[in-house]
Amino acid sequence: MEDLTSFFHRYGDAHLKLSAEALEPFYHIPSLINDLGGVHAISSVEDLAKYHAPFMAELKQARLAMCKAMLTEQNSALPGGARALVSFRFGNENNDLIFDCDYSFALLRHDQDWKIVFAQLGEIRYSDLY
């Protein structure tokens, strides 16, 4: 089974495709996402795509070229699940910071793959460039 560090590196890399569909394989349906806009219930692939579309548009406009994901804390001793704290850093083609943020995740093992069932934005720090 893939470890959580590899999972989140792949998840970060998926953002570089600037496509909501690229993030779909990482999520369990149904799932919940809690961000600055409140709690979003994701009950279908269409809900997930609709949720991620504005974010992907923002990243595209900012010329996203780099996304680094660093697993800062994990607890995978839960039966069939895990908890993770992850810091993300998003940058453009000049390696300028777009923003960085921290997320808490609850994950579930599904067919030997990790799936996000809950994501909560902790802190977001925007660059002065954007």
Side-chain angles (χ1 to χ4, degrees), residues 22-54:
L23 299 177
E24 180 205 328
F26 296 91
Y27 283 84
H28 183 271
I29 302 295
S31 59
L32 291 172
I33 301 172
N34 187 5
D35 65 11
L36 297 174
V39 177
H40 307 271
I42 308 298
S43 60
S44 67
V45 172
E46 293 79 18
D47 287 347
L48 188 62
K50 184 178 175 183
Y51 171 80
H52 279 117

Side-chain angles (χ1 to χ4, degrees), residues 49-64:
K50 184 178 175 183
Y51 171 80
H52 279 117
F55 181 54
M56 291 295 116
E58 179 183 346
L59 292 176
K60 188 173 190 174
Q61 182 178 357
R63 300 180 327 274
L64 176 72

Side-chain angles (χ1 to χ4, degrees), residues 2-13 26 69-71 84 86 88 105 107 116:
E2 180 178 40
D3 67 24
L4 290 175
T5 299
S6 296
F7 174 84
F8 283 110
H9 284 195
R10 286 190 315 105
Y11 180 63
D13 289 347
F26 296 91
M70 185 173 84
L71 181 66
V86 182
F88 293 94
F105 293 95
L107 300 103
I116 297 167

Side-chain angles (χ1 to χ4, degrees), residues 57-79:
E58 179 183 346
L59 292 176
K60 188 173 190 174
Q61 182 178 357
R63 300 180 327 274
L64 176 72
M66 182 267 300
C67 178
K68 304 270 185 186
M70 185 173 84
L71 181 66
T72 59
E73 186 179 323
Q74 71 177 6
N75 180 343
S76 54
L78 304 169

Side-chain angles (χ1 to χ4, degrees), residues 97-114:
L97 178 68
I98 299 169
F99 69 91
D100 63 0
C101 61
D102 301 319
Y103 263 93
S104 299
F105 293 95
L107 300 103
L108 179 67
R109 245 187 255 143
H110 185 279
D111 295 332
Q112 297 303 311
D113 293 325
W114 289 111

